Amino acid sequence: MPQHKPDLPPELRPLAEMPLLKRLAARLFGHGLTRLRAQHRFSWLHGQADGFRSGHEAGVEYGYREGKADGIEEGRQVLLIRDFRPDEHSAPGVDDSLFDDWRLPLTADVKKRIKADVARLLPAHAQPSAAQWKMIFSDTPSTSVIAGAGAGKSTSLVLRILLLTHYLGFELSSMTVVTFTRESRKDFINKLMDILTLWGQPIDMKEAQAVVRTFHSRILPMVRSLPGFERLQAFENLSAGFEDADSNPFDLRISDAQRQQMNACYHQLQGRHARFRELIAPLARQGLQLRELERDHPDVQKRIAVTELAAKRDEELCDVIEDLWFRAGAWPIKGIEPSRQRFEINGAQFHCHGYIPALDAWVMLGFDPRENAQISRPNSKLSVRAEWAVKRTLFQAFCRKPLIWLDSYDASKRLLSSLAGDASAGPGFDYKVKGELVSAPLLDSFVMAAGFIENLGLDVPTAVGQMSFAKDDPDRFFFEALSIFWKALEDHLLDQSPPIMTYNRMFSLFGENMRL
């Protein structure tokens, strides 16, 4: 904003604007009057002019600043409406997956005929209710029915199939009935065969099986219709040369063929994925270490009284157990440093047998169940097995250091394979995710957790990326490792010949978030 100098009266103009002679006279007389301490009118007028000018400039600056602020605030209160709608209209699209609005040719005569035949051929307890007849006689291409267990859904659906085929002339081979489980499929097949036989339209087991399918047996041929997947196998059905497409989807047991594929993928990841290797170490320590017992547990309360006595005989007990392991060829173990580290348990001193640098964990040797349970130390009233059980209970209740307790010689072999990097046989330890009732082999836990996430309609790596854990929570490492492993497993399965795919991934191919 340009600023203009104010117009001043002649007597208030600064000295610089006066004629030369007047300026000299003013300065001469002004200097004299100043020495005499008399009033110097021109100096006073000059100061007044300077004050007027500086005040005017300050006022203009203040007014501009305040006015600008007020203008901006008023501008914010202005509602600007812009029309972003396109100039041309958009026509709605066409979804070929939606049903057309057509009606079944159900006449009063057809309804009367089937009702009479049902009353004549079916027993009294199998006669449909009014609500069931309403479902059977629905003339729309899609009908939703909500009913509880035992409400007669299967019977009503069988009678609707009878209506369509026997009374309306639809081909049975053009229909598909989809159920959840193998058991419900068998039940529906038997009902369908019985009803059609009563109406003089018998079908054999093979024809009925072609009509009634489970979700899983239905999705498999759909994926096999895609180029390159003609011989696709389902991961859940992998077995020794036998494929049962109607296997129970809720059976979480891992077959040997499935485990072979998972172990191979795990072995590949251990060799080429540094972060995956880093994640396995804390999981191994968590999965292998001794499970804690609450201090008020009955076993702890029963054995806490003999803590001092057990501590006095502990070194001798360690010697006996180490001898048993040595004679069995199970001790020492490569990767474990023999070390009699002392532990303070409830105020008493006990010892362990070794230390694993790779896991930063201590090792305790247990009493193998195949050994003679009556073995005892000289002059001891308790067997070695009983003394070992007392020590184990005390460590479970009072030891807070990472401690791996090897209960058997076989457990040591699995640990040895894991420490030696022999990942072809899998991780070699169990893991328990918070919320699960029991622990399971690590890769089995991966499968169960991934299945739970996918059954919610979520992608495993995406869902894991949205999780949050406490810094020291081992489940944080578990789910990060799961994210890496699951994606690698899906890629590994697709690389097989013929390719392999999980059922959840098959379903996802025909969902909104299609991925391959």
Side-chain angles (χ1 to χ4, degrees):
M1 177 182 292
Q3 297 184 4
H4 302 282
K5 292 183 179 180
D7 294 329
L8 299 177
E11 63 272 17
L12 294 182
R13 291 178 182 176
L15 290 174
E17 298 181 6
M18 294 182 181
L20 177 61
L21 292 177
K22 285 187 176 183
R23 287 203 307 271
L24 291 175
R27 291 185 183 277
L28 178 61
F29 287 112
H31 180 70
L33 291 173
T34 300
R35 293 292 297 272
L36 292 174
R37 297 183 178 178
Q39 183 177 6
H40 187 190
R41 183 173 179 275
F42 288 103
S43 296
W44 181 85
L45 292 174
H46 178 70
Q48 187 184 39
D50 286 345
F52 181 88
R53 185 170 54 252
S54 61
H56 179 80
E57 291 176 353
V60 170
E61 181 182 355
Y62 177 79
Y64 171 75
R65 185 169 61 249
E66 290 296 310
K68 181 180 179 182
D70 292 342
I72 291 176
E73 183 63 28
E74 290 179 6
R76 288 174 178 169
Q77 298 177 13
V78 175
L79 177 61
L80 179 61
I81 300 177
R82 295 180 180 177
D83 192 349
F84 291 101
R85 293 175 296 181
D87 295 333
E88 299 294 331
H89 76 281
S90 298
V94 175
D95 189 343
D96 293 326
S97 298
L98 295 177
F99 291 106
D100 291 332
D101 186 13
W102 53 271
R103 295 290 186 269
L104 292 173
L106 279 175
T107 63
D109 181 63
V110 170
K111 294 179 181 180
K112 183 178 180 180
R113 284 173 51 205
I114 188 174
K115 278 190 171 184
D117 292 342
V118 168
R120 177 172 54 87
L121 297 173
L122 295 184
H125 70 272
Q127 296 296 315
S129 64
Q132 287 175 299
W133 277 120
K134 184 177 179 181
M135 176 266 182
I136 296 168
F137 289 148
S138 173
D139 62 353
T140 59
S142 59
T143 302
S144 175
V145 177
I146 301 175
K153 297 184 297 297
S154 297
T155 301
S156 301
L157 188 55
V158 169
L159 290 178
R160 181 167 174 81
I161 293 173
L162 176 69
L163 170 68
L164 294 173
T165 57
H166 188 79
Y167 294 89
L168 297 180
F170 287 88
E171 293 290 337
L172 182 63
S173 59
S174 66
M175 303 179 190
T176 300
V177 177
V178 182
T179 68
F180 272 103
T181 66
R182 179 175 50 188
E183 289 72 21
S184 63
R185 180 193 182 214
K186 289 179 179 178
D187 179 65
F188 198 93
I189 286 174
N190 291 331
K191 287 183 178 181
L192 181 63
M193 293 176 66
D194 291 343
I195 290 291
L196 292 181
T197 299
L198 284 175
W199 263 257
Q201 192 179 331
I203 59 172
D204 58 28
M205 179 64 71
K206 188 175 181 179
E207 290 178 288
Q209 289 176 337
V211 174
V212 186
R213 312 291 291 271
T214 62
F215 278 103
H216 295 79
S217 66
R218 185 61 185 149
I219 194 66
L220 188 57
M222 292 175 64
V223 180
R224 283 176 173 170
S225 67
L226 300 175
F229 293 95
E230 294 81 4
R231 297 173 55 234
L232 179 76
Q233 290 183 300
F235 175 73
E236 289 81 356
N237 295 339
L238 289 183
S239 57
F242 176 74
E243 180 183 278
D244 181 8
D246 290 315
S247 62
N248 189 345
F250 304 105
D251 187 355
L252 301 179
R253 290 173 296 182
I254 305 298
S255 68
D256 290 340
Q258 291 171 313
R259 198 174 304 281
Q260 181 180 358
Q261 295 294 339
M262 292 192 300
N263 288 344
C265 177
Y266 179 83
H267 178 69
Q268 294 172 3
L269 276 177
Q270 281 284 67
R272 61 179 171 82
H273 204 295
R275 178 56 181 167
F276 186 76
R277 289 195 301 272
E278 293 175 5
L279 294 169
I280 294 301
L283 295 180
R285 185 172 71 175
Q286 177 70 18
L288 292 167
Q289 70 184 28
L290 185 64
R291 297 287 183 266
E292 294 182 7
L293 271 182
E294 296 295 333
R295 297 187 180 185
D296 58 355
H297 192 279
D299 290 346
V300 177
Q301 295 300 313
K302 182 173 61 177
R303 292 166 175 171
I304 194 173
V306 297
T307 301
E308 290 293 337
L309 179 61
K312 291 179 181 179
R313 66 195 182 200
D314 185 62
E315 284 202 82
E316 294 181 20
L317 179 64
C318 287
D319 292 337
V320 173
I321 290 181
E322 279 186 14
D323 288 342
L324 292 174
W325 279 70
F326 185 80
R327 287 201 299 268
W331 184 256
I333 299 174
K334 184 179 179 181
I336 301 179
E337 299 176 356
S339 174
R340 288 283 181 92
Q341 172 74 17
R342 288 189 176 186
F343 287 80
E344 184 173 308
I345 301 297
N346 197 26
Q349 297 294 321
F350 288 82
H351 305 80
C352 69
H353 297 275
Y355 174 73
I356 305 177
L359 301 179
D360 188 26
W362 302 95
V363 173
M364 191 76 71
L365 302 180
F367 188 85
D368 190 285
R370 290 173 293 183
E371 295 287 355
N372 184 357
Q374 305 304 318
I375 296 176
S376 61
R377 295 183 301 104
N379 304 320
S380 176
K381 296 181 180 180
L382 296 177
S383 66
V384 171
R385 180 181 179 181
E387 290 181 315
W388 165 82
V390 170
K391 180 177 179 179
R392 191 178 194 274
T393 300
L394 294 175
F395 268 74
Q396 283 182 287
F398 299 101
C399 179
R400 292 298 175 258
K401 291 185 178 180
L403 180 71
I404 297 175
W405 198 288
L406 300 179
D407 289 319
S408 66
Y409 304 142
D410 292 337
S412 69
K413 292 178 182 178
R414 292 194 298 269
L415 178 59
L416 177 60
S417 298
S418 178
L419 295 176
D422 181 15
S424 59
F429 62 90
D430 292 356
Y431 187 84
K432 181 177 178 294
V433 182
K434 288 183 179 63
E436 295 290 344
L437 297 177
V438 295
S439 60
L442 179 66
L443 299 188
D444 294 36
S445 297
F446 280 166
V447 171
M448 288 187 287
F452 179 79
I453 292 173
E454 290 185 332
N455 287 339
L456 296 176
L458 303 174
D459 173 66
V460 173
T462 303
V464 170
Q466 296 174 349
M467 294 179 178
S468 298
F469 297 91
K471 182 178 180 181
D472 297 328
D473 190 341
D475 279 0
R476 175 168 68 94
F477 306 114
F478 172 86
F479 281 100
E480 184 179 351
L482 168 65
S483 177
I484 297 172
F485 177 80
W486 200 247
K487 185 177 185 305
L489 178 64
E490 288 184 329
D491 293 341
H492 170 80
L493 294 176
L494 285 177
D495 289 339
Q496 304 307 302
S497 182
I500 306 169
M501 192 181 295
T502 65
Y503 276 124
N504 278 336
R505 194 172 190 193
M506 293 184 205
F507 284 116
S508 72
L509 294 180
F510 294 90
E512 294 181 355
N513 300 318
M514 177 177 175
R515 58 190 178 90
L516 188 64

